[in-house]
Amino acid sequence: MGGFEGHLFPGLSFFFYGLYHARLFSRASICNYPVQYPPTRPWSKGRWAKLQQIYYVGLLKMLSACVLVAQELHNVPGEFVLITRLFHQRNFIYHKEWQHLTLYMSFFLSGCVDAVSQNLLPQRCAALEQGAQALAFFMCLPLMVSHIQDTEGVELQAHILLIQAMFLLMLVVTAELWAPNMPQIWVMKAFLHMVVGSWLIHIGFMLFKPISGYKWMDDDKNDIMFVTTFFCWHVAFAAVLMTWIYGFSFVWYCYIC
């Protein structure tokens, strides 16, 4: 995820997906739903009725992945190839760009599975959706670890903290395969998606468009230490936001809706 846009757009995708799951958890716990994923709606006749019954989450995943792929390809200088041959030698090029595309395509496939399960199958298969999401994170984590090999200082510290959050998120989505109806897993899934998303956005501003106008210095220990402090603030912010969403949902479903 190179450049400012390469951190901003994935961060927004993760963050809004976390908000979506926070709303799902709040509704399920307040309204005593037995499962987090509601069953597929029965199809009604009529053009507009069918449009209203479509689940758009998987489609939005696919659209987000396509936008990220287009943005990545747009920023590639020259011809985008995998191997170049110079002086009778084989050299892999654009290694980070290929890693980015692999990340985006894994979540695109997860979106395809969501769209098929939610809109085309006779009965929604939540286990299939969860398995595809877990597979995407299994691919994402080793790529992120490899991604930081040539980084240092502030960028290295920021991405180590990002990998920490993504590792915890991978554990949560894996545990969801065996315990899909545990509210604790729903909470952690929404919470960690928001942490990863907000921290990705912060990394984009920190490395490429610092709000203060002053560049973060890799050789300044104070800057590196404050990277960890800001990450902890993001964790606290996500926790407060989860609490606010639950409180608002409680008022909405119990007193308004």
Side-chain angles (χ1 to χ4, degrees), residues 89-105:
Q89 293 181 349
R90 183 267 301 152
N91 294 312
F92 288 106
I93 58 175
Y94 299 125
H95 59 282
K96 284 198 172 184
E97 286 77 6
W98 280 108
Q99 288 183 339
H100 297 161
L101 291 180
T102 305
L103 287 172
Y104 301 153
M105 293 311 299

Side-chain angles (χ1 to χ4, degrees), residues 199-225:
W199 185 240
L200 265 173
I201 297 171
H202 188 106
I203 291 176
F205 280 100
M206 185 167 53
L207 297 180
F208 303 101
K209 292 186 178 181
I211 298 176
S212 64
Y214 295 96
K215 182 180 178 180
W216 288 68
M217 305 303 295
D218 291 331
D219 56 353
D220 190 338
K221 292 184 178 180
N222 290 326
D223 283 5
I224 296 175
M225 292 177 66

Side-chain angles (χ1 to χ4, degrees), residues 48-152:
W48 300 111
K50 289 184 178 181
L51 287 177
Q52 293 176 354
Q53 291 169 321
I54 292 176
Y55 285 96
Y56 291 99
V57 176
L59 300 177
L60 289 175
K61 271 189 184 180
M62 297 165 60
L63 178 61
S64 300
C66 290
V67 170
L68 292 170
V69 169
Q71 183 267 336
E72 189 71 35
L73 295 177
H74 176 72
N75 292 333
V76 173
E79 185 180 2
F80 186 61
V81 295
L82 178 63
I83 298 174
T84 182
R85 292 180 177 86
L86 295 175
F87 306 110
H88 305 287
Q89 293 181 349
R90 183 267 301 152
N91 294 312
F92 288 106
I93 58 175
Y94 299 125
H95 59 282
K96 284 198 172 184
E97 286 77 6
W98 280 108
Q99 288 183 339
H100 297 161
L101 291 180
T102 305
L103 287 172
Y104 301 153
M105 293 311 299
S106 66
F107 288 103
F108 177 83
L109 294 176
S110 175
C112 291
V113 172
D114 287 355
V116 171
S117 173
Q118 295 166 6
N119 300 303
L120 299 180
L121 295 183
Q123 184 176 2
R124 183 173 183 176
C125 184
L128 184 63
E129 300 173 34
Q130 294 159 2
Q133 186 178 47
L135 178 62
F137 279 102
F138 288 153
M139 297 172 61
C140 180
L141 196 65
L143 289 172
M144 289 299 302
V145 173
S146 173
H147 206 61
I148 64 174
Q149 289 185 359
D150 57 349
T151 59
E152 59 181 3

Side-chain angles (χ1 to χ4, degrees), residues 36 130 172-186:
Q36 184 182 15
Q130 294 159 2
V172 168
V173 297
T174 303
E176 190 179 24
L177 294 174
W178 282 271
N181 295 323
M182 286 189 64
Q184 296 90 335
I185 292 181
W186 306 347

